[in-house]
Amino acid sequence: MPFDEAEVSRHVPQPAAIFGNKTTRVGVIGLGYVGLPLALLFSRRGLVTTGFDIDASKIEKLARGESYIRHIPNSAIRDSLDSQRFHPTHRYEELRHADAVLICVPTPLDAHREPDLSFVRATAEAIRPYLRPGQLIVLESTTYPGTTEEVVLPILERSGLRCPVLPYASASATADSHSTDVVDFFLAFSPEREDPGNQQFRTHEIPKIIGGVNGPSAAAAAALYGQVFDRTLVVSSARTAEMTKLLENIYRCVNIALVNELKMLCQHMAIDIWEVIEAAKTKPFGFTAFYPGPGLGGHCIPIDPFYLTWKAREYDFPTRFIELAGEINTAMPAYVVDSLAQALNRRKQCLQDARILVLGVSYKKDIDDLRESPSLRIMRLLEQRGASVDYNDPYFPRLHKMREYDFTHLSSVELTARTLESYDAVVISTDHSIYDYEFITRHARLVVDARNATRNVTHHRQKIVRC
Ligand SMILES: NC(=O)c1ccc[n+]([C@@H]2O[C@H](COP(=O)([O-])OP(=O)(O)OC[C@H]3O[C@@H](n4cnc5c(N)ncnc54)[C@H](O)[C@@H]3O)[C@@H](O)[C@H]2O)c1
């Protein structure tokens, strides 16, 4: 039922009063790598949390106390279920009970490498029938500046409720009672800064950036997140918060491209880039180490920068750094394959018909996430050049069909001395900690190492080609 504007008072209570205590009921939409840990965090901290996902199989698993994300143990799900403070569901009707709704759905690129906001739009549409005065909606998905105000807000306002875009000073967001009078519901953006598998920083230890569509919205979100995050930082608009997240990811993307380019140059100059980085990083200021590799992977770094590139076109403004970084990083899998071909050539072998074993298919070490993994691109390039390819990855016994790749005919081969000896070359694409690189080098005929994973290997180093 759409909301009946005539029935409500436009006067809602001060946000901090509603969202600053444990009685706030939270809804998290999209229980993936980002949404699930967030929902569990809220429930652990004593807030009743409902998790929504359209994937019925995920909801069934969660309801049985089973995790589908490797670094989240079953016990974390069971503890939350047992506490009666975590309730997974696919029924959007239950949103009517939530005081705050946090959106953590995917923001991929479409086939033309343009922002695909269909998940965000569909979620806003699904929320609208249940939107009520005083409710807080927060977009957490990474996106271009303007999405919250230009895409989410108009959809929600079709309910008849209002959340006007109003400037506010970030420091006084909590004290702005005047604009509270003209706000029916609260809307904010708060970027997710999760780094899946990172043991060093737990979700609540990562400062939470918040930008409201107006002061009351920023205050509402700050009160809510302040309950579970060690530190919150309110910035002066939703657009600023959206841009902050993109800056973080573009910074990584550009710096990784820089070291990738320098790695290729160093190769020509017979200089070890890894040694250079270790030396440079002893500088106590002004230098942050980034490391070269076989290319970018994951749901964020290869994708998010292009959200900004797309938006910048509206301003007729070229994002040259992003384009160049994208070009260099995208070329890295081909560079690995060329390096392998040259190494085989030196042994009077050719890549065509060679048997190649790729180690590690996830996009980074020790996680079970394949999205945009450069290993998959390397495998496809190898096949295109006539090699016969197998892989090993302890996190992926089999590979499911993906939009761009179909390696369903392969399964992870066992890493025994005999198997290793049977391949013409082994390519280390993802440096999982579980691998015994000494053993691998001892038994492989040739090791092409795109991660410097073999740095501590002491024997048979002549077999190693770093690229
Ligand atoms: N994974 C990361 O490391 C990371 C880090 C920071 C930010 N982000 C951003 O967070 C967002 C989510 O990423 P993720 O990695 O958690 O994605 P994900 O694919 O792991 O999870 C998204 C979930 O949303 C569900 N979903 C899709 N549409 C839905 C709808 N209409 N209603 C309910 N559920 C729906 C999917 O079924 C899925 O379970 C993206 O914008 C991403 O860029 C991700």
Side-chain angles (χ1 to χ4, degrees):
M1 276 278 292
F3 172 77
D4 180 358
E5 194 179 352
E7 279 178 18
V8 293
S9 152
R10 284 188 174 276
H11 294 262
V12 293
Q14 275 293 322
I18 328 171
F19 297 101
N21 62 65
K22 302 270 185 250
T23 56
T24 308
R25 292 158 303 175
V26 178
V28 176
I29 302 187
L31 298 175
Y33 285 90
V34 159
L36 183 57
L38 188 69
L40 296 177
L41 173 63
F42 274 102
S43 91
R44 263 202 316 277
R45 292 296 171 97
L47 284 83
V48 172
T49 306
T50 305
F52 298 83
D53 205 291
I54 42 169
D55 184 338
S57 69
K58 285 187 177 170
I59 296 301
E60 281 162 24
K61 277 196 176 155
L62 291 174
R64 288 198 301 268
E66 290 169 21
S67 172
Y68 41 76
I69 296 178
R70 223 191 99 80
H71 61 272
I72 300 178
N74 290 345
S75 59
I77 316 275
R78 293 209 186 107
D79 289 349
S80 287
L81 290 172
D82 291 348
S83 72
Q84 312 271 314
R85 287 194 304 268
F86 177 56
H87 171 51
T89 182
H90 55 82
R91 289 158 48 90
Y92 265 104
E93 304 89 273
E94 298 191 33
L95 273 180
R96 68 173 91 243
H97 305 301
D99 302 306
V101 179
L102 317 179
I103 305 172
C104 306
V105 296
T107 43
L109 294 173
D110 67 15
H112 307 289
R113 295 196 64 76
E114 295 193 344
D116 174 3
L117 286 180
S118 58
F119 298 95
V120 172
R121 283 202 182 88
T123 305
E125 296 284 359
I127 293 172
R128 191 179 60 210
Y130 308 104
L131 190 66
R132 57 180 165 78
Q135 212 171 20
L136 165 67
I137 313 296
V138 185
L139 179 62
E140 294 223 4
S141 306
T142 310
T143 184
Y144 58 77
T147 308
T148 309
E149 290 175 10
E150 296 162 16
V151 177
V152 179
L153 179 61
I155 296 175
L156 297 180
E157 284 197 330
R158 265 188 260 138
S159 63
L161 292 172
R162 294 284 164 264
C163 182
V165 179
L166 299 169
Y168 64 91
S170 49
S172 64
T174 48
D176 189 353
S177 58
H178 166 69
S179 44
T180 306
D181 293 346
V182 294
V183 170
D184 294 330
F185 68 94
F186 306 110
L187 178 61
F189 180 81
S190 181
E192 187 49 64
R193 299 162 117 184
E194 181 78 12
D195 181 15
N198 187 329
Q199 304 291 332
Q200 203 185 344
F201 300 103
R202 287 168 299 165
T203 306
H204 67 94
E205 293 169 333
I206 305 168
K208 197 79 174 115
I209 306 281
I210 294 156
V213 161
N214 43 49
S217 295
L224 176 75
Y225 289 117
Q227 292 200 60
V228 299
F229 283 86
D230 294 354
R231 191 174 157 219
T232 56
L233 176 74
V234 174
V235 294
S236 64
S237 64
R239 302 160 73 82
T240 306
E242 287 160 336
M243 191 65 165
T244 304
K245 172 70 189 177
L246 288 186
L247 169 62
E248 292 168 7
N249 284 359
I250 291 164
Y251 173 80
R252 276 189 70 74
C253 175
V254 167
N255 279 289
I256 291 169
L258 175 67
V259 286
N260 275 333
E261 186 174 71
L262 292 183
K263 170 180 82 170
M264 293 186 283
L265 173 64
C266 281
Q267 207 104 39
H268 288 294
M269 300 173 83
I271 297 170
D272 180 350
I273 184 70
W274 298 90
E275 189 185 351
V276 172
I277 296 170
E278 286 311 304
K281 131 184 161 183
T282 58
K283 187 179 178 187
F285 49 86
F287 182 82
T288 303
F290 286 85
Y291 297 95
L296 291 183
H299 184 35
C300 298
I301 313 293
I303 291 173
D304 302 346
F306 294 100
Y307 267 66
L308 190 61
T309 296
W310 180 85
K311 187 67 179 172
R313 274 188 230 139
E314 199 177 301
Y315 299 85
D316 205 12
F317 193 95
T319 50
R320 286 182 294 163
F321 263 109
I322 296 174
E323 301 285 359
L324 180 60
E327 209 178 289
I328 294 171
N329 289 327
T330 309
M332 293 317 293
Y335 175 76
V336 172
V337 172
D338 285 343
S339 303
L340 166 64
Q342 283 168 19
L344 287 170
N345 257 350
R346 287 194 290 272
R347 299 174 159 227
K348 310 220 179 315
Q349 285 180 277
C350 73
L351 188 53
Q352 178 140 15
D353 296 328
R355 294 189 70 230
I356 310 297
L357 178 63
V358 174
L359 296 189
V361 288
S362 55
Y363 78 85
K364 69 173 180 179
K365 69 176 184 182
D366 304 337
I367 64 159
D368 58 347
D369 191 344
L370 273 181
R371 289 178 290 181
E372 308 288 323
S373 173
S375 303
L376 300 171
R377 185 135 172 73
I378 289 171
M379 286 164 68
R380 187 163 66 191
L381 286 170
L382 287 171
E383 284 190 345
Q384 284 170 349
R385 291 179 63 170
S388 148
V389 184
D390 279 313
Y391 80 94
N392 169 279
D393 194 309
Y395 302 103
F396 289 96
R398 297 203 71 87
L399 295 173
H400 57 267
K401 194 167 177 340
M402 288 157 274
R403 194 173 60 173
E404 274 188 77
Y405 302 100
D406 185 357
F407 290 112
T408 44
H409 56 290
L410 299 179
S411 56
S412 176
V413 302
E414 213 185 329
L415 272 198
T416 63
R418 250 176 112 170
T419 9
L420 286 164
E421 281 157 11
S422 71
Y423 288 94
D424 294 304
V426 169
V427 176
I428 300 172
S429 186
T430 308
D431 50 342
H432 290 311
S433 310
I434 200 172
Y435 287 143
D436 178 345
Y437 294 105
E438 197 78 54
F439 176 83
I440 290 165
T441 310
R442 186 175 333 128
H443 295 288
R445 294 190 216 163
L446 170 68
V447 178
V448 174
D449 180 3
R451 298 278 189 179
N452 199 24
T454 51
R455 57 191 166 277
N456 297 324
V457 168
T458 47
H459 294 92
H460 307 285
R461 288 205 65 86
Q462 74 285 358
K463 294 186 195 172
I464 299 170
V465 172
R466 288 187 302 166
C467 70

